Amino acid sequence: MARIGVEGTLSDVREALQSKGHDTVELKSEQDTQGCDCCVISGQDKNVMGMADAAMQGSVINANGMTADEVCQAVDARGQQQ
């Protein structure tokens, strides 16, 4: 399964991804994105963790307005595209 970086405020999303077998990492700093297939952010802060530039190669999913299940579906859809 995929390695997914998840913003700390999204504990419900992290739990849902883990229940589907994904390896999750809490995003606390720019280094936490290393090795992640994609990252899930809350969308509340457009400049997450003070990063103004793209720090990772994978997809970034903005979970603003999405349920945990919808985020899981988006992660799975991104994984199938790669």
Side-chain angles (χ1 to χ4, degrees), residues 4-9 14 24-29 32-33 49:
I4 313 297
V6 182
E7 194 173 317
T9 59
R14 186 171 48 255
T24 63
V25 175
E26 184 174 347
L27 297 176
K28 297 178 186 173
S29 69
D32 295 332
T33 64
M49 297 176 288

Side-chain angles (χ1 to χ4, degrees), residues 34-64:
Q34 294 178 0
C36 290
D37 298 301
C38 75
C39 291
V40 180
I41 61 170
S42 68
Q44 295 177 359
D45 185 356
K46 297 295 184 195
N47 187 9
V48 177
M49 297 176 288
M51 294 184 293
D53 58 340
M56 65 170 293
Q57 299 297 318
S59 300
V60 176
I61 297 171
N62 184 339
N64 189 26

Side-chain angles (χ1 to χ4, degrees), residues 1 17 27-28 32 50 55 65-66 71 78:
M1 287 305 205
L17 289 166
L27 297 176
K28 297 178 186 173
D32 295 332
M66 298 172 72
V71 173
R78 302 271 170 95

Side-chain angles (χ1 to χ4, degrees), residues 5-23:
V6 182
E7 194 173 317
T9 59
L10 300 172
S11 57
D12 58 332
V13 170
R14 186 171 48 255
E15 291 170 6
L17 289 166
Q18 288 172 344
S19 73
K20 294 189 177 289
H22 294 290
D23 180 23

